[in-house]
Amino acid sequence: MNRLLRVRINVSDLARLTDFYCEALGFVVVQMAERGVRLRLGAQTLELVQPEVPGAPYPADSRATDVWFQHVALVVSDMAAAYAHLCRHAMTPITIGGPQRLPPSTGRVQAFKFRDPDGHPLELLAFPPGAGDAHWQSGDALFLGYDHSALVVSDVTRSIAFYEALGLVVAGRTLNHGPEQERLDDAPGVRVDVVALRAAAEATPHVELLGYQVPPVTPLPGPLAPSDIASSRLVFESDRAAELHDPDGHAIVLVQSPLTQSPAGYASR
C-alpha cells in the first residue's frame, strides 16, 4: 500500500456532523454529495457518509478498550486554545481532567480524547518541539491536520502480520501506562501496546494499533454492518482495488489511484 488517502466515517445526520467537524475542528468542505461530504484539514482528507438505510447507532457506553474503537488523531498547534475551542461545541470527553501530557517514554505529547455527536472517538495531539512529523512543527492554523487513525486490536502480533502482508511497515512501538495514560483513556491500571505502521510513500497520516493488555479488549458482539455508525473505513492507495477486513473486523478499502477529479455525485466547493 502506497499511502493512507483518507478515513471514511458513517454518520447519522450529514449536515449536523459536517457542521461539527468544520466549526469545532477546523475542517473545510472540498466535495459534496447528497449522502456524503469530503472534508480537508491541512493536507489530510476525511469523508463523512450518511448511509441510505440507517444502520445501528454507535454502541452505548463504549470504552477506549472496545475492539470497535477507532479514532482519528488531530494535530493542534496550541493545545490549551484548541481544547477551549472544542469545549464550546457538542463533544463528549473520554479523557478525565482535560488534556494530558504523556511521559518522556511515550514522547511527551499532549493528548485529549473525546467523541463527536455520533459517538465516534477522536483525539487532539500537540507535539513538543522536535517530535512527530516535521511538518507539525510549522503552520499558523490552530488545527493542522490528522496524524493517524488508531485501531484497537485483540492480538497485536496477528494484526502486525496482517498489515505487513498488505505492505505497511512498523515505524515505532511503545508500551504506554501510568496515571497520564489512565486519565487519557479513562481506564484504571491501563497498559497498552502502541504500534505505528506506515505506508511506503508517506509516513503521515499512518495507522496505529492499540493492543490493550490491561484492561482486556472487549470483542465485537457480532460483525458490524457496512451501514452501522461504528463501521469506519481506512482508504489506501494500492496497486489493486479491493475491500477487506482486518482480523478484528476493521474495514479497509484499497483503490488503485487517488481520485484527481470530483467523483460522480460530488460537487467541488
Side-chain angles (χ1 to χ4, degrees):
M1 294 189 289
N2 297 323
R3 59 184 177 132
L4 177 60
L5 293 175
R6 57 187 172 273
V7 181
R8 182 180 299 161
I9 297 174
N10 285 348
V11 298
S12 63
D13 185 324
L14 186 62
R16 181 188 184 207
L17 270 293
T18 298
D19 286 347
F20 175 81
Y21 278 82
C22 292
E23 295 172 6
L25 302 174
F27 283 85
V28 295
V29 175
V30 292
Q31 293 176 327
M32 299 183 67
E34 181 181 359
R35 309 206 70 84
V37 62
R38 292 233 180 116
L39 305 174
R40 182 172 294 278
L41 184 63
Q44 286 75 50
T45 302
L46 186 74
E47 188 171 20
L48 307 181
V49 176
Q50 183 173 342
E52 186 172 357
V53 178
Y58 204 93
D61 302 320
S62 289
R63 310 287 294 180
T65 55
D66 297 330
V67 79
W68 57 89
F69 184 100
Q70 177 175 348
H71 77 247
V72 176
L74 311 173
V75 181
V76 301
S77 58
D78 183 323
M79 178 60 82
Y83 176 66
H85 177 80
L86 177 63
C87 286
R88 295 195 287 270
H89 298 274
M91 67 87 178
T92 302
I94 296 173
T95 300
I96 302 300
Q100 301 296 310
R101 184 177 292 280
L102 301 184
S105 60
T106 53
R108 292 196 59 78
V109 299
Q110 288 181 280
F112 175 76
K113 292 182 179 181
F114 62 100
R115 296 186 185 276
D116 73 11
D118 264 349
H120 301 108
L122 298 160
E123 183 177 35
L124 300 184
L125 284 180
F127 289 101
D133 194 303
H135 73 260
W136 299 136
Q137 302 296 330
S138 61
D140 298 327
L142 182 56
F143 295 91
L144 299 173
Y146 64 83
D147 184 71
H148 63 267
S149 181
L151 320 170
V152 170
V153 298
S154 57
D155 184 324
V156 170
T157 301
R158 179 181 65 175
S159 293
I160 289 174
F162 173 85
Y163 284 98
E164 285 183 331
L166 290 179
L168 300 185
V169 296
V170 174
R173 187 167 184 171
T174 60
L175 180 63
N176 293 13
H177 57 90
E180 299 89 355
Q181 190 70 40
E182 292 180 10
R183 292 190 292 269
L184 180 64
D185 289 335
D186 187 19
V190 67
R191 293 178 65 87
V192 55
D193 195 359
V194 181
V195 181
L197 296 164
R198 61 162 293 174
E202 293 182 1
T204 303
H206 61 273
V207 175
E208 286 192 359
L209 307 180
L210 305 176
Y212 284 89
Q213 301 175 7
V214 181
V217 171
T218 306
L220 275 173
L224 293 173
S227 59
D228 288 350
I229 297 302
S231 184
S232 298
R233 291 163 177 78
L234 298 174
V235 182
F236 286 94
E237 179 186 16
S238 179
D239 58 0
R240 63 190 176 103
E243 294 190 19
L244 59 155
H245 292 82
D246 76 4
D248 290 294
H250 299 291
I252 298 164
V253 177
L254 306 181
V255 297
Q256 288 184 291
S257 63
L259 297 175
T260 56
Q261 297 179 347
S262 297
Y266 280 86
S268 297
R269 172 175 166 180

Short mmCIF file of all heavy atoms in Angstrom, two decimals, residues 188-237:
data_model
loop_
_atom_site.label_atom_id
_atom_site.label_comp_id
_atom_site.label_asym_id
_atom_site.label_seq_id
_atom_site.Cartn_x
_atom_site.Cartn_y
_atom_site.Cartn_z
N PRO A 188 -8.48 2.68 34.52
CA PRO A 188 -7.55 2.44 35.62
C PRO A 188 -6.63 1.25 35.35
O PRO A 188 -7.06 0.22 34.83
CB PRO A 188 -8.49 2.14 36.80
CG PRO A 188 -9.78 2.81 36.44
CD PRO A 188 -9.89 2.68 34.95
N GLY A 189 -5.35 1.42 35.67
CA GLY A 189 -4.37 0.35 35.52
C GLY A 189 -3.98 0.04 34.09
O GLY A 189 -3.35 -0.99 33.83
N VAL A 190 -4.31 0.91 33.16
CA VAL A 190 -4.12 0.62 31.74
C VAL A 190 -2.66 0.34 31.37
O VAL A 190 -1.74 0.98 31.87
CB VAL A 190 -4.69 1.77 30.87
CG1 VAL A 190 -3.87 3.04 31.06
CG2 VAL A 190 -4.75 1.39 29.40
N ARG A 191 -2.48 -0.63 30.50
CA ARG A 191 -1.21 -0.91 29.82
C ARG A 191 -1.57 -1.22 28.37
O ARG A 191 -2.32 -2.16 28.09
CB ARG A 191 -0.47 -2.10 30.44
CG ARG A 191 0.02 -1.84 31.86
CD ARG A 191 0.69 -3.06 32.44
NE ARG A 191 1.90 -3.42 31.74
CZ ARG A 191 3.11 -2.91 32.01
NH1 ARG A 191 3.24 -1.99 32.96
NH2 ARG A 191 4.18 -3.30 31.35
N VAL A 192 -1.06 -0.39 27.45
CA VAL A 192 -1.44 -0.53 26.05
C VAL A 192 -0.20 -0.53 25.16
O VAL A 192 0.66 0.35 25.26
CB VAL A 192 -2.44 0.56 25.61
CG1 VAL A 192 -1.91 1.96 25.89
CG2 VAL A 192 -2.82 0.40 24.15
N ASP A 193 -0.09 -1.55 24.31
CA ASP A 193 0.97 -1.68 23.33
C ASP A 193 0.56 -0.85 22.11
O ASP A 193 -0.46 -1.12 21.47
CB ASP A 193 1.10 -3.16 22.96
CG ASP A 193 2.38 -3.49 22.23
OD1 ASP A 193 3.18 -2.58 21.98
OD2 ASP A 193 2.56 -4.68 21.90
N VAL A 194 1.33 0.19 21.79
CA VAL A 194 1.02 1.09 20.68
C VAL A 194 2.03 0.86 19.56
O VAL A 194 3.24 1.04 19.76
CB VAL A 194 1.05 2.57 21.13
CG1 VAL A 194 0.69 3.49 19.97
CG2 VAL A 194 0.11 2.79 22.31
N VAL A 195 1.53 0.47 18.39
CA VAL A 195 2.40 0.15 17.25
C VAL A 195 2.04 1.06 16.09
O VAL A 195 0.90 1.07 15.62
CB VAL A 195 2.24 -1.33 16.82
CG1 VAL A 195 3.18 -1.64 15.66
CG2 VAL A 195 2.51 -2.26 17.99
N ALA A 196 3.00 1.85 15.62
CA ALA A 196 2.80 2.72 14.46
C ALA A 196 3.19 1.96 13.20
O ALA A 196 4.26 1.35 13.13
CB ALA A 196 3.64 3.98 14.60
N LEU A 197 2.31 2.01 12.20
CA LEU A 197 2.53 1.36 10.91
C LEU A 197 2.45 2.41 9.81
O LEU A 197 1.47 3.15 9.73
CB LEU A 197 1.46 0.29 10.66
CG LEU A 197 1.43 -0.90 11.61
CD1 LEU A 197 0.11 -1.64 11.47
CD2 LEU A 197 2.59 -1.84 11.31
N ARG A 198 3.46 2.47 8.97
CA ARG A 198 3.47 3.47 7.90
C ARG A 198 3.45 2.79 6.54
O ARG A 198 3.88 1.64 6.38
CB ARG A 198 4.68 4.39 8.00
CG ARG A 198 6.03 3.71 7.88
CD ARG A 198 7.11 4.71 7.55
NE ARG A 198 6.94 5.27 6.22
CZ ARG A 198 7.69 6.25 5.71
NH1 ARG A 198 8.64 6.78 6.44
NH2 ARG A 198 7.48 6.69 4.49
N ALA A 199 2.92 3.53 5.57
CA ALA A 199 2.90 3.06 4.20
C ALA A 199 4.21 3.43 3.51
O ALA A 199 5.04 4.18 4.05
CB ALA A 199 1.71 3.65 3.46
N ALA A 200 4.39 2.94 2.28
CA ALA A 200 5.65 3.13 1.59
C ALA A 200 5.92 4.58 1.21
O ALA A 200 7.03 5.09 1.37
CB ALA A 200 5.68 2.26 0.33
N ALA A 201 4.89 5.27 0.71
CA ALA A 201 5.11 6.59 0.14
C ALA A 201 5.10 7.71 1.18
O ALA A 201 5.84 8.68 1.05
CB ALA A 201 4.07 6.87 -0.94
N GLU A 202 4.24 7.60 2.20
CA GLU A 202 4.08 8.69 3.15
C GLU A 202 3.93 8.15 4.57
O GLU A 202 3.20 7.19 4.80
CB GLU A 202 2.84 9.53 2.80
CG GLU A 202 2.95 10.30 1.50
CD GLU A 202 1.73 11.15 1.22
OE1 GLU A 202 0.81 11.15 2.05
OE2 GLU A 202 1.70 11.81 0.16
N ALA A 203 4.61 8.80 5.52
CA ALA A 203 4.51 8.40 6.92
C ALA A 203 3.29 9.01 7.60
O ALA A 203 2.84 8.53 8.64
CB ALA A 203 5.76 8.80 7.66
N THR A 204 2.77 10.10 7.04
CA THR A 204 1.65 10.80 7.64
C THR A 204 0.59 11.06 6.58
O THR A 204 0.92 11.58 5.51
CB THR A 204 2.10 12.15 8.24
OG1 THR A 204 3.14 11.90 9.20
CG2 THR A 204 0.94 12.86 8.92
N PRO A 205 -0.66 10.69 6.85
CA PRO A 205 -1.12 10.01 8.05
C PRO A 205 -0.76 8.52 8.02
O PRO A 205 -0.49 7.97 6.95
CB PRO A 205 -2.63 10.20 8.01
CG PRO A 205 -2.95 10.31 6.55
CD PRO A 205 -1.78 11.01 5.93
N HIS A 206 -0.76 7.89 9.19
CA HIS A 206 -0.42 6.48 9.29
C HIS A 206 -1.46 5.78 10.17
O HIS A 206 -2.44 6.38 10.59
CB HIS A 206 0.99 6.30 9.83
CG HIS A 206 1.22 6.87 11.20
ND1 HIS A 206 1.58 8.17 11.42
CD2 HIS A 206 1.12 6.30 12.43
CE1 HIS A 206 1.71 8.39 12.72
NE2 HIS A 206 1.43 7.27 13.36
N VAL A 207 -1.22 4.50 10.39
CA VAL A 207 -2.12 3.68 11.21
C VAL A 207 -1.42 3.34 12.52
O VAL A 207 -0.20 3.10 12.54
CB VAL A 207 -2.49 2.38 10.46
CG1 VAL A 207 -3.34 1.46 11.35
CG2 VAL A 207 -3.23 2.69 9.17
N GLU A 208 -2.16 3.34 13.62
CA GLU A 208 -1.63 2.84 14.88
C GLU A 208 -2.51 1.71 15.38
O GLU A 208 -3.74 1.78 15.30
CB GLU A 208 -1.57 3.96 15.94
CG GLU A 208 -0.43 4.94 15.70
CD GLU A 208 -0.19 5.87 16.87
OE1 GLU A 208 -0.93 5.78 17.89
OE2 GLU A 208 0.73 6.70 16.77
N LEU A 209 -1.87 0.67 15.89
CA LEU A 209 -2.57 -0.43 16.55
C LEU A 209 -2.50 -0.22 18.05
O LEU A 209 -1.44 0.10 18.60
CB LEU A 209 -1.91 -1.77 16.19
CG LEU A 209 -1.73 -2.08 14.71
CD1 LEU A 209 -1.06 -3.44 14.54
CD2 LEU A 209 -3.06 -2.03 13.96
N LEU A 210 -3.63 -0.39 18.73
CA LEU A 210 -3.70 -0.25 20.17
C LEU A 210 -4.04 -1.62 20.76
O LEU A 210 -5.18 -2.10 20.64
CB LEU A 210 -4.78 0.76 20.56
CG LEU A 210 -4.68 2.16 19.96
CD1 LEU A 210 -5.86 3.02 20.37
CD2 LEU A 210 -3.36 2.82 20.34
N GLY A 211 -3.04 -2.26 21.34
CA GLY A 211 -3.25 -3.58 21.93
C GLY A 211 -3.29 -3.47 23.45
O GLY A 211 -2.25 -3.45 24.11
N TYR A 212 -4.48 -3.40 24.01
CA TYR A 212 -4.62 -3.23 25.46
C TYR A 212 -4.35 -4.55 26.17
O TYR A 212 -5.01 -5.56 25.92
CB TYR A 212 -6.01 -2.70 25.79
CG TYR A 212 -6.17 -1.23 25.49
CD1 TYR A 212 -6.60 -0.79 24.24
CD2 TYR A 212 -5.85 -0.26 26.44
CE1 TYR A 212 -6.71 0.55 23.94
CE2 TYR A 212 -5.96 1.09 26.16
CZ TYR A 212 -6.40 1.49 24.91
OH TYR A 212 -6.50 2.83 24.62
N GLN A 213 -3.36 -4.51 27.07
CA GLN A 213 -3.08 -5.66 27.93
C GLN A 213 -3.95 -5.60 29.19
O GLN A 213 -4.46 -6.61 29.66
CB GLN A 213 -1.60 -5.67 28.31
CG GLN A 213 -0.66 -5.75 27.10
CD GLN A 213 0.79 -5.62 27.49
OE1 GLN A 213 1.14 -5.61 28.67
NE2 GLN A 213 1.68 -5.53 26.50
N VAL A 214 -4.11 -4.38 29.71
CA VAL A 214 -4.98 -4.10 30.86
C VAL A 214 -5.66 -2.77 30.59
O VAL A 214 -4.96 -1.80 30.26
CB VAL A 214 -4.18 -4.00 32.18
CG1 VAL A 214 -5.11 -3.73 33.35
CG2 VAL A 214 -3.35 -5.26 32.42
N PRO A 215 -6.99 -2.67 30.73
CA PRO A 215 -7.98 -3.74 30.83
C PRO A 215 -8.00 -4.56 29.54
O PRO A 215 -7.52 -4.10 28.49
CB PRO A 215 -9.30 -2.98 31.00
CG PRO A 215 -8.93 -1.56 31.31
CD PRO A 215 -7.60 -1.34 30.69
N PRO A 216 -8.59 -5.76 29.60
CA PRO A 216 -8.63 -6.57 28.38
C PRO A 216 -9.54 -5.95 27.33
O PRO A 216 -10.48 -5.22 27.64
CB PRO A 216 -9.19 -7.91 28.88
CG PRO A 216 -9.95 -7.56 30.13
CD PRO A 216 -9.20 -6.43 30.75
N VAL A 217 -9.24 -6.24 26.07
CA VAL A 217 -10.02 -5.72 24.95
C VAL A 217 -11.40 -6.38 24.93
O VAL A 217 -11.53 -7.59 25.11
CB VAL A 217 -9.29 -5.99 23.62
CG1 VAL A 217 -10.18 -5.68 22.42
CG2 VAL A 217 -8.01 -5.17 23.55
N THR A 218 -12.44 -5.57 24.73
CA THR A 218 -13.80 -6.07 24.60
C THR A 218 -14.04 -6.48 23.16
O THR A 218 -13.92 -5.66 22.25
CB THR A 218 -14.83 -5.00 24.99
OG1 THR A 218 -14.54 -4.51 26.29
CG2 THR A 218 -16.25 -5.56 24.96
N PRO A 219 -14.37 -7.76 22.89
CA PRO A 219 -14.57 -8.18 21.49
C PRO A 219 -15.89 -7.68 20.94
O PRO A 219 -16.78 -7.25 21.68
CB PRO A 219 -14.57 -9.71 21.59
CG PRO A 219 -15.06 -9.99 22.97
CD PRO A 219 -14.53 -8.87 23.83
N LEU A 220 -16.02 -7.73 19.63
CA LEU A 220 -17.28 -7.38 18.98
C LEU A 220 -18.35 -8.40 19.35
O LEU A 220 -18.10 -9.60 19.30
CB LEU A 220 -17.12 -7.37 17.46
CG LEU A 220 -16.60 -6.12 16.78
CD1 LEU A 220 -16.36 -6.42 15.30
CD2 LEU A 220 -17.56 -4.97 16.93
N PRO A 221 -19.56 -7.95 19.72
CA PRO A 221 -20.65 -8.90 19.98
C PRO A 221 -21.11 -9.60 18.71
O PRO A 221 -21.72 -10.67 18.76
CB PRO A 221 -21.75 -8.01 20.57
CG PRO A 221 -21.45 -6.64 20.06
CD PRO A 221 -19.97 -6.56 19.96
N GLY A 222 -20.83 -9.00 17.56
CA GLY A 222 -21.20 -9.56 16.26
C GLY A 222 -20.60 -8.67 15.19
O GLY A 222 -20.14 -7.56 15.49
N PRO A 223 -20.55 -9.11 13.94
CA PRO A 223 -19.95 -8.29 12.89
C PRO A 223 -20.71 -6.99 12.68
O PRO A 223 -21.93 -6.95 12.78
CB PRO A 223 -20.03 -9.20 11.66
CG PRO A 223 -21.13 -10.16 11.95
CD PRO A 223 -21.11 -10.39 13.43
N LEU A 224 -19.95 -5.92 12.40
CA LEU A 224 -20.57 -4.64 12.08
C LEU A 224 -21.12 -4.69 10.66
O LEU A 224 -20.46 -5.20 9.75
CB LEU A 224 -19.55 -3.51 12.19
CG LEU A 224 -19.01 -3.17 13.57
CD1 LEU A 224 -17.89 -2.14 13.46
CD2 LEU A 224 -20.11 -2.65 14.48
N ALA A 225 -22.30 -4.13 10.48
CA ALA A 225 -22.84 -3.98 9.12
C ALA A 225 -22.20 -2.77 8.47
O ALA A 225 -21.81 -1.81 9.16
CB ALA A 225 -24.36 -3.82 9.18
N PRO A 226 -22.06 -2.73 7.14
CA PRO A 226 -21.43 -1.58 6.48
C PRO A 226 -22.11 -0.26 6.78
O PRO A 226 -21.46 0.79 6.69
CB PRO A 226 -21.55 -1.94 4.99
CG PRO A 226 -21.64 -3.42 4.96
CD PRO A 226 -22.40 -3.80 6.19
N SER A 227 -23.41 -0.28 7.13
CA SER A 227 -24.13 0.96 7.39
C SER A 227 -24.12 1.36 8.87
O SER A 227 -24.64 2.42 9.21
CB SER A 227 -25.58 0.82 6.91
OG SER A 227 -26.23 -0.25 7.57
N ASP A 228 -23.56 0.52 9.75
CA ASP A 228 -23.52 0.87 11.17
C ASP A 228 -22.65 2.10 11.39
O ASP A 228 -21.62 2.27 10.72
CB ASP A 228 -22.98 -0.30 11.99
CG ASP A 228 -23.96 -1.46 12.10
OD1 ASP A 228 -25.12 -1.30 11.71
OD2 ASP A 228 -23.54 -2.53 12.60
N ILE A 229 -23.04 2.92 12.34
CA ILE A 229 -22.29 4.16 12.60
C ILE A 229 -20.85 3.87 13.02
O ILE A 229 -19.94 4.64 12.70
CB ILE A 229 -23.02 5.01 13.66
CG1 ILE A 229 -24.40 5.43 13.15
CG2 ILE A 229 -22.21 6.24 14.04
CD1 ILE A 229 -24.37 6.22 11.85
N ALA A 230 -20.61 2.77 13.71
CA ALA A 230 -19.25 2.44 14.16
C ALA A 230 -18.39 1.83 13.06
O ALA A 230 -17.20 1.57 13.28
CB ALA A 230 -19.31 1.49 15.36
N SER A 231 -18.95 1.61 11.87
CA SER A 231 -18.23 0.95 10.79
C SER A 231 -17.47 1.98 9.96
O SER A 231 -17.94 2.45 8.92
CB SER A 231 -19.20 0.17 9.89
OG SER A 231 -18.51 -0.54 8.90
N SER A 232 -16.27 2.34 10.42
CA SER A 232 -15.41 3.27 9.69
C SER A 232 -14.53 2.49 8.73
O SER A 232 -14.38 1.28 8.84
CB SER A 232 -14.55 4.08 10.66
OG SER A 232 -15.35 4.86 11.52
N ARG A 233 -13.90 3.20 7.78
CA ARG A 233 -13.04 2.56 6.79
C ARG A 233 -11.76 3.35 6.58
O ARG A 233 -11.79 4.58 6.53
CB ARG A 233 -13.77 2.44 5.44
CG ARG A 233 -14.93 1.44 5.45
CD ARG A 233 -15.85 1.65 4.27
NE ARG A 233 -16.91 0.65 4.23
CZ ARG A 233 -18.01 0.67 5.00
NH1 ARG A 233 -18.16 1.66 5.88
NH2 ARG A 233 -18.92 -0.27 4.91
N LEU A 234 -10.66 2.62 6.46
CA LEU A 234 -9.40 3.19 6.04
C LEU A 234 -9.29 3.02 4.54
O LEU A 234 -9.40 1.90 4.03
CB LEU A 234 -8.23 2.49 6.73
CG LEU A 234 -8.17 2.57 8.25
CD1 LEU A 234 -7.04 1.69 8.78
CD2 LEU A 234 -7.98 4.00 8.72
N VAL A 235 -9.06 4.12 3.81
CA VAL A 235 -8.97 4.07 2.35
C VAL A 235 -7.51 4.29 1.96
O VAL A 235 -6.94 5.36 2.20
CB VAL A 235 -9.88 5.13 1.70
CG1 VAL A 235 -9.81 5.02 0.17
CG2 VAL A 235 -11.33 4.97 2.18
N PHE A 236 -6.91 3.26 1.34
CA PHE A 236 -5.50 3.29 0.96
C PHE A 236 -5.33 3.31 -0.55
O PHE A 236 -6.10 2.68 -1.29
CB PHE A 236 -4.78 2.03 1.46
CG PHE A 236 -4.51 2.00 2.93
CD1 PHE A 236 -5.39 1.39 3.80
CD2 PHE A 236 -3.35 2.56 3.45
CE1 PHE A 236 -5.14 1.33 5.16
CE2 PHE A 236 -3.08 2.52 4.81
CZ PHE A 236 -3.98 1.90 5.67
N GLU A 237 -4.31 4.02 -1.01
CA GLU A 237 -3.85 3.87 -2.38
C GLU A 237 -3.02 2.60 -2.46
O GLU A 237 -2.15 2.35 -1.62
CB GLU A 237 -3.01 5.08 -2.79
CG GLU A 237 -2.47 5.00 -4.21
CD GLU A 237 -1.54 6.14 -4.53
OE1 GLU A 237 -1.04 6.81 -3.60
OE2 GLU A 237 -1.28 6.35 -5.72
#
